[in-house]
Amino acid sequence: MQPLFLHPRDLDLDALHLFWAAPPDAVLTASLATLGQTTPALAFAAEGRPILAAGARRALALRERRGRTLAAVVLEERDMEPDLAALPQALRLGAVYLASNLGRTVTDAMAVAAGRYFVAAGGPEAFEALAAPRLFPEGDRRRALVGQWLALPPSLDALLASGNLPLGAAGRLAALDDASRQALAPLFHAVRWSRANLDNALTWLVEAARLAGEPPAAILGRCGALDLPGRGLSPNDLAAGVLAALRRARYPATTTLEARFASLSRAVTPKGSKARLSPSQGFEADAVTVTATARSPQELAKIAADIAAMAAASELPRLLRVAHEDDPA
Amino acid sequence: MTAAPWDITLLAVDAAVAGSAMALRAAAALPEAKQMVLAPGEASPEAPEGGRALHVKAHKGRFLRPCPATRHYRCCGYQIVHIGENCPMDCSYCILRAYFRDRTLTAFANTGDMFEELGRTFGRDRSRLFRVGTGQFADSLALEPITGHTREILGFLKGFDNVVLELKSKTADLSWLEADPRPDRVLPAWSLNAPEIVAGQERGTASLEARLAAARTCVAAGFRVCLHFDPVCFFPGWEAGYAAVVDMIFDHLRPADIAYMSLGSFRCLPELPGRLAAEGRELPLYMLGEFTLGADGKKRLVRPLRVRQFRFMAGRLARHGFTRGLYFCMESDEVWREVLGRTARDLGGLSAHLLDAARNRGGAPSCSWTTPKP
Ligand code: SF4
């Protein structure tokens, strides 16, 4: 291995194989200022300028310090394992970069960024053979999920990095066609999706589309979910509203029953009452369940009076028959 | 693939019943199948060439059982004569998928034991009436050309005036007629469905045309028949599909030819869709209905949609003059009332009502409805 002193400005720090390169943080900048460079960067000799193989953050930080050079060692083929040395240059650079980052915590977005590089340089097999074993410990389920994610358009990677889309939804997202993913883009950008919520949302959308014999984009266009992001709702209300709109599209009869029941039970229940009405399981029976918790005789008396008022409410017969198809609310 | 009936490539017979009439009939009917006798405790091997195995064995438990209904829904009081297990046809909605793990067909050859038990039960009090059937854990007639099971049973039942046997099938097999049964004590029955469901969700079943033609043959021989719409499936275009099959019924039969007819909405154990997915099948559209978990732990279509379908069918049947003998399989009083304006209890109890309809031509006029609610 040969030591080299490179001028940071001569190096291509935007090279694709430096897929995790990020601006230096204050700790690194301060350490370089006080202690200087304690660990050499790695470089490959090349025609013209050497290629930086690892140490991009150090190089970036040193660019800000006039006259400072980057200490690097030059990796030569004879220093490497034969398998690594035999790789095409792009893959070798990627593998060395990953090896130099060994031990670093790899986020989902970082794993995908690495995956993109390897797939572009050598196809999905290169990701599986060279990157995945260096990224994930044996048995890590993220390996398969990243593999699925890599089949998605790269435009979704930023949503993974921002936390709007979870890696666990890779399979579900990959099962959508491009048009559906594009139609969903405003919702992907507006909501931070948990895996469970996204699973439900996509299941309802796709099933509603199958039932209607229409593309998911058509259902999405008319279910009202796309109108919600512009309304200034809180993140929780927005997510709940979008899910409710999609559920209505998938389960029109059930959600209509629920809405009817909610509105009639509001009309039947005295304001402020502790007595709660709930429908029979699945609206199978013409019955309601009344529940209440009393902590004193007075509370119980009040609940009893409320229940008596409920029994006399003019809307109660309609509430009891809420599941009758010929009794629209 | 072989040309064996139902692709049966292995006939495995337990040593205990190797000399039974059924085992001999099966051996003669399956000349190309690999045939073997299993020693006590020996498991049936895999069928060769990816075919099916028919396991002829002795049944150790009770032969006569009540239908596995629940107390939450109105049951028809049918009793099952257990003749075997599993079915060579393949319907995506079949409950047997939940009951049996493999494709092995089983037929119980110890008919002597069966007749002894049935004789004791049916003969104890001859004024007690029974409506029994063989189509619960198997199709009543799918294996009949091989096993001759039904013909044996029919011969035995000739001595019991108090028993009506319903033979429920999706085949068009009429070989059981050779037993020359009493037309007033046997009810051949067919399950019907919308043409889209038959074409897309049933494998190996006879066509609707063939089932109804078989029903007509039975009527010509003096029998009345039963028809079952179970499961009624909710899918886009169901109205046209069910209208077509209802109309088709009356191209073949008159209302009076039908002893009774059931409607049962699709219901399933919650794990059924997962099982289909595990078999690599796309989930049928009717399984994407709006389901709720019923009191029996099964998924069923949400009530207003069931009622909508039942009203549609009852109305269509009424237009053809079929205004009595319709009942619901496993439905609540609410649904009965909403569709027919009365409950099973108003009919004197479903079990008694159907027994009456099964035994008496013209059914029970005093407790039939006339006009379904629109
Ligand atoms: S014919 Fe009946 S028993 Fe056979 S698979 Fe179909 S539903 Fe099941």
Side-chain angles (χ1 to χ4, degrees), chain B residues 47-297:
Chain B
E49 298 166 52
R52 281 181 175 272
L54 171 60
H55 187 178
V56 174
K57 63 194 276 198
H59 177 56
K60 299 282 195 309
R62 286 180 57 91
F63 285 93
L64 190 67
R65 307 167 167 195
C67 177
T70 75
R71 65 191 169 82
H72 302 282
Y73 297 100
R74 297 286 159 233
C75 161
C76 66
Y78 178 81
Q79 295 201 56
I80 301 155
V81 176
H82 199 30
I83 59 166
E85 292 174 348
N86 227 336
C87 176
M89 292 169 275
D90 182 2
C91 306
S92 62
Y93 48 75
C94 183
I95 186 75
L96 299 187
R97 232 174 253 287
Y99 294 162
F100 307 117
R101 299 215 164 266
D102 66 15
R103 298 168 74 225
T104 300
L105 305 162
T106 308
F108 301 137
N110 53 334
T111 46
D113 297 339
M114 172 161 80
F115 297 151
E116 202 181 303
E117 179 195 322
L118 296 181
R120 268 197 316 272
T121 309
F122 299 154
R124 193 173 298 133
D125 171 3
R126 297 231 175 202
S127 68
R128 185 174 164 206
L129 307 178
F130 291 87
R131 190 170 66 88
V132 301
T134 49
Q136 189 73 21
F137 297 107
D139 182 280
S140 289
L141 299 171
L143 297 179
E144 184 57 20
I146 299 168
T147 63
H149 218 154
T150 301
R151 277 165 284 177
E152 272 195 66
I153 296 172
L154 289 170
F156 163 78
L157 286 179
K158 275 183 182 161
F160 293 90
D161 182 52
N162 55 332
V163 181
V164 175
L165 175 69
E166 184 176 332
L167 299 170
K168 204 187 281 186
S169 186
K170 285 199 186 98
T171 72
D173 178 74
L174 293 177
S175 59
W176 55 274
L177 281 170
E178 290 162 14
D180 194 23
R182 277 180 63 170
D184 59 347
R185 291 295 175 263
V186 176
L187 289 169
W190 282 270
S191 299
L192 303 177
N193 221 310
E196 298 87 331
I197 297 293
V198 172
Q201 305 302 329
E202 298 180 358
R203 292 181 189 165
T205 60
S207 68
L208 286 171
E209 187 69 36
R211 290 178 225 180
L212 289 168
R216 191 172 51 200
T217 303
C218 292
V219 167
F223 295 85
R224 283 178 309 144
V225 299
C226 304
L227 300 175
H228 300 288
F229 282 98
D230 200 348
V232 176
C233 299
F234 195 88
F235 59 95
W238 63 265
E239 293 95 333
Y242 285 109
V245 65
V246 167
D247 294 350
M248 201 170 162
I249 291 171
F250 298 100
D251 292 341
H252 292 80
L253 303 169
R254 296 160 306 166
D257 300 332
I258 303 165
Y260 48 76
M261 192 184 304
S262 71
L263 302 180
S265 185
F266 169 69
R267 54 209 175 276
C268 71
L269 294 170
E271 51 271 26
L272 178 68
R275 289 208 178 190
L276 284 179
E279 286 174 25
R281 290 200 193 180
E282 189 187 32
L283 212 56
L285 275 181
Y286 74 87
M287 283 196 196
L288 294 181
E290 292 194 46
F291 295 109
T292 177
L293 206 59
D296 53 0

Side-chain angles (χ1 to χ4, degrees), chain A residues 16-100:
Chain A
L16 294 177
H17 66 271
L18 304 171
F19 37 76
W20 292 342
D25 56 23
V27 177
L28 177 64
T29 313
S31 155
L32 285 169
T34 52
L35 299 174
Q37 186 183 350
T38 54
T39 322
L42 298 177
F44 281 106
E47 276 177 32
R49 302 187 292 185
I51 300 170
L52 186 71
R57 280 195 328 141
R58 274 162 284 171
L60 272 169
L62 290 172
R63 271 187 182 177
E64 304 306 314
R65 305 189 64 79
R66 251 172 195 282
R68 292 288 296 270
T69 52
L70 177 75
V73 292
V74 176
L75 286 172
E76 288 172 47
E77 284 188 8
R78 62 168 187 271
D79 303 327
M80 290 176 231
E81 293 290 326
D83 285 356
L84 194 60
L87 288 174
Q89 172 161 287
L91 291 177
R92 195 194 315 158
L93 282 167
V96 168
Y97 186 65
L98 274 185
S100 73

